[in-house]
Amino acid sequence: MAAFSQTIGGITWTFESLRRLLAKASPARSGDYLAEVAASSDAERAAAQMALADVPLAHFLDEAVIPYEADEVTRLIIDSHDATAFAPVRHLTVGGFRDWLLGEAATGAALAALAPGLTPEMVAAVSKLMRVQDLILVARKVRVVTAFRGTLGLPGRMSTRLQPNHPTDDPAGIAASLLDGLLYGNGDAMFGINPASDSLPAIIELLKMLDGVIQRYHIPTQACVLTHVTSSIAAIERGAPLDLVFQSIAGTEAANASFGVSLEILREGYEAGLSLKRGTLGQNLMYFETGQGSALSANAHHGVDQQTCEARAYAVARRFKPFLVNTVVGFIGPEYLYNGKQIIRAGLEDHFCGKLLGVPMGCDICYTNHAEADQDDMDTLLTLLGAAGVNFIMGIPGSDDVMLNYQTTSFHDALYVRQVLGLRPAPEFEAWLARTGILQQQGHSLRLGAEVPATFARAIGQLR
């Protein structure tokens, strides 16, 4: 285990391990203070960032932040590393890698080829040296395209998860939210419900309801009920019409165990989903959710800073060729991301790191009511992520999830960012919206149709 040092103004700062150096170099956030791994001052943070800039990228293959023998996520990272893909940047330091990423040689094609050669710790390290504009500029170069019934991640496109949650899983309430979202052009990423009940029969009924809407109206999208992966496997065994397999994941074996999963259980869920062959355009079918602070909240962080732990979760996701990965950036609370500034930075870091690792990143741009944040902060992050090329965001009635009790982005927020930045839905979904008259092309932008198709609206409303 190497030690790293940096002298500033006659003061020498020493960091006894790579794990310690990464933590001290991380931009300030409440979770790292809670874990007692954060820099003690801005001076120490600057010294750590300067020392980190001089660390060779190849060193990350020699020193694991969590021991290989103690953690299956570390073993996955090391055992799946592609040395050939890594070769073009192997000679660089972390600082040199930042310069290369910002240069013209780092094209989208070059970054896609490089992704299997990068480890989460490498991309976490370089993100700690980057300004907000750097995180946006580099992430924008990377397109991670996936397909199931629609194609997500194409240039100039931004998709939405239509999230029709209801505190009692009431079909009429869910139907009302579905209709509302569809009429704003939301839902191309998926119809995704967080169920109020863990009852397997209730989950199967929700899956049948969502599948009924998709099949009856020939909507080129996919459905997901966000239940535990083992419940999804059980639902598949009972013949449920399940499209996407969901699971929350984290960046350490112990944190994943707190979610009741392992790499083997995730593999079983992935294979169960593949067995149904429900995708018409592709078979990317895993949907993962992550968030900075999850490993710390489970007391499973091993002294690793929360942003590096988060990047490690993307290695888990990458293993299973997911349709979407969603960083639920402000959901855990101010103990981990205290205010709007920290949430904004974390969302951009997560998107950047996921894209560099070849993961189809989306973001639930959100905060809890006891955080020092408000909807203006979310508007800022929404606009920045739209500019950075985020694959998808959330669409929820009025920005307020009545089931999970947190604040996120609304149906009209998605319409706003699409109009301002000239972004469009997935092509298959866009064509469906045009056929129904929900959205109409005006110049280079999409606008709400002049008249809502009354028969379509009535039909959706009859789902109750």
Side-chain angles (χ1 to χ4, degrees):
M1 187 177 296
F4 309 87
S5 62
Q6 182 69 43
T7 301
I8 300 177
I11 300 175
T12 298
W13 303 89
T14 299
F15 311 96
E16 65 272 20
S17 66
L18 183 61
R19 177 177 63 238
R20 190 76 167 169
L21 178 64
L22 287 167
K24 298 293 187 179
S26 193
R29 59 207 56 195
S30 51
D32 289 338
Y33 288 111
L34 181 64
E36 299 182 342
V37 300
S40 60
S41 65
D42 289 340
E44 185 181 23
R45 181 173 298 107
Q49 290 172 343
M50 293 174 69
L52 181 61
D54 291 332
V55 175
L57 286 181
H59 183 81
F60 289 84
L61 301 175
D62 298 327
E63 182 178 349
V65 296
I66 301 174
Y68 182 93
E69 299 77 13
D71 186 89
E72 69 172 0
V73 177
T74 299
R75 292 194 290 276
L76 171 67
I77 291 167
I78 298 300
D79 294 347
S80 63
H81 181 256
D82 187 330
T84 301
F86 181 54
V89 298
R90 183 180 180 88
H91 63 287
L92 296 175
T93 62
V94 176
F97 185 42
R98 173 187 176 274
D99 294 341
W100 183 85
L101 287 171
L102 293 170
E104 294 182 1
T107 62
L111 291 172
L114 178 63
L118 297 176
T119 70
E121 291 83 359
M122 292 176 192
V123 299
V126 74
S127 76
K128 297 176 192 297
L129 306 183
M130 302 185 101
R131 296 169 57 185
V132 161
Q133 64 176 255
D134 300 336
L135 297 172
I136 294 170
L137 178 62
V138 175
R140 185 177 176 83
K141 298 180 183 182
V142 184
R143 307 308 309 188
V144 182
V145 179
T146 58
F148 193 75
R149 290 197 192 97
T151 307
L152 271 60
L154 293 167
R157 308 278 178 170
M158 187 200 71
S159 298
T160 59
R161 169 185 159 190
L162 202 170
Q163 186 168 307
N165 291 347
H166 192 278
T168 64
D169 290 338
D170 177 60
I174 292 171
S177 293
L178 279 174
L179 176 59
D180 192 17
L182 286 169
L183 295 180
Y184 274 96
N186 282 243
D188 52 332
M190 73 174 84
F191 299 161
I193 297 177
N194 298 87
S197 169
D198 288 330
S199 160
L200 186 59
I203 289 165
I204 292 174
E205 285 306 307
L206 288 174
L207 286 168
K208 289 179 177 178
M209 175 188 177
L210 295 177
D211 183 63
V213 174
I214 290 170
Q215 300 301 329
R216 180 175 180 182
Y217 302 105
H218 308 288
I219 307 173
T221 191
Q222 34 285 317
C224 184
V225 175
L226 280 69
T227 186
H228 195 271
V229 62
T230 54
S231 295
S232 292
I233 294 170
I236 291 170
E237 291 171 346
R238 295 193 185 189
L242 187 147
D243 293 337
L244 305 182
V245 177
F246 166 78
Q247 184 56 48
S248 293
I249 57 171
T252 73
E253 179 179 348
N256 283 324
S258 76
F259 291 140
V261 297
S262 64
L263 295 178
E264 175 60 22
I265 292 173
L266 293 175
R267 183 192 63 78
E268 292 174 9
Y270 176 53
E271 292 182 352
L274 284 176
S275 72
L276 298 180
K277 297 181 172 63
R278 290 177 60 83
T280 55
L281 299 180
Q283 293 298 325
N284 300 113
L285 55 81
M286 298 300 285
Y287 174 54
F288 294 118
E289 288 193 344
T290 67
Q292 289 195 27
S294 58
L296 174 58
S297 67
N299 194 29
H301 59 98
H302 299 271
V304 178
D305 69 273
Q306 67 182 39
Q307 191 253 333
T308 301
C309 280
E310 172 70 5
R312 285 168 56 95
Y314 306 149
V316 176
R318 180 170 62 177
R319 171 67 179 82
F320 300 101
K321 303 175 182 177
F323 183 62
L324 292 171
V325 177
N326 179 27
T327 170
V328 192
V329 66
F331 184 74
I332 302 181
E335 300 85 355
Y336 307 95
L337 295 169
Y338 178 71
N339 57 18
K341 181 180 176 66
Q342 292 186 10
I343 292 171
I344 290 168
R345 171 82 194 190
L348 294 170
E349 287 172 349
D350 295 350
H351 178 251
F352 166 89
C353 289
K355 284 289 185 67
L356 277 191
L357 291 169
V359 171
M361 287 301 299
C363 184
D364 190 341
I365 301 162
C366 64
Y367 64 101
T368 57
N369 289 319
H370 61 310
E372 289 294 320
D374 58 28
Q375 213 63 37
D376 285 345
D377 295 314
M378 300 305 100
D379 285 351
T380 299
L381 180 53
L382 169 63
T383 307
L384 294 174
L385 282 170
V390 71
N391 278 35
F392 84 110
I393 62 168
M394 299 292 111
I396 294 176
S399 304
D400 186 357
D401 191 302
V402 296
M403 185 271 194
L404 295 175
N405 294 308
Y406 77 115
Q407 310 303 311
T408 180
T409 47
S410 70
F411 301 141
H412 61 276
D413 290 337
L415 189 62
Y416 144 76
V417 78
R418 282 172 172 167
Q419 289 179 351
V420 167
L421 299 178
L423 301 172
R424 305 160 73 115
E428 301 84 4
F429 193 77
E430 182 182 40
W432 179 84
L433 291 172
R435 289 195 301 272
T436 60
I438 292 173
L439 291 187
Q440 297 177 354
Q441 185 73 30
Q442 293 184 7
H444 296 292
S445 299
L446 292 170
R447 296 288 188 270
L448 290 176
E451 183 177 338
V452 172
T455 55
F456 174 74
R458 283 198 299 270
I460 296 288
Q462 290 168 0
L463 288 172
R464 73 182 66 188

